[in-house]
Amino acid sequence: MYNHIFPVLFAGETRPIILAVKMTLFDGFINAPLIWLPPAYIAQALIYRYPKREAIQKYVTDVKENGLLKKYWSLWLPASLTNFMFVPAHFRVAFVAGVSFFWMI
């Protein structure tokens, strides 16, 4: 996504800082709550063998009552901005994997 879709989505932006901010905001406020986090909850449900509906309900509860997105944004917005501003495109996935390791601890 970062190396193939983002360049297409943000092709018109030529200012590096503005581009990094746009990609960071898109990743944090569109990708995370709609594309990345719900499937993670569903995968957990499949692994631990509980209903997918329960997984989605747990996701909604974590967002509304447990501050999941605030916690997510506190780590991932600065990490994503750093990634998009300073990390070469071919190392971005590795950088995200490294940050993910610490997110999971």
Side-chain angles (χ1 to χ4, degrees):
M1 172 162 259
Y2 298 114
N3 293 338
H4 299 289
I5 295 174
F6 274 30
V8 172
L9 288 175
F10 303 103
E13 186 56 65
T14 58
R15 299 165 293 180
I17 293 173
I18 301 300
L19 176 62
V21 168
K22 284 182 177 182
M23 292 189 327
T24 297
L25 293 175
F26 186 85
D27 196 43
F29 293 99
I30 303 297
N31 283 345
L34 301 176
I35 297 173
W36 303 138
L37 294 174
Y41 277 73
I42 292 169
Q44 185 178 25
L46 294 172
I47 291 167
Y48 292 108
R49 296 184 178 158
Y50 60 87
K52 288 178 270 204
R53 181 179 295 271
E54 186 178 325
I56 295 302
Q57 182 153 4
K58 182 174 177 356
Y59 172 66
V60 170
T61 300
D62 282 351
V63 168
K64 288 182 177 180
E65 298 175 14
N66 299 328
L68 172 66
L69 291 178
K70 289 179 184 177
K71 293 171 187 173
Y72 181 91
W73 293 327
S74 70
L75 173 69
W76 284 104
L77 289 179
S80 292
L81 188 61
T82 301
N83 192 21
F84 295 132
M85 285 187 67
F86 303 113
V87 178
H90 59 281
F91 288 129
R92 287 182 181 161
V93 173
F95 177 82
V96 169
V99 174
S100 295
F101 173 78
F102 293 102
W103 167 255
M104 296 305 296
I105 292 178

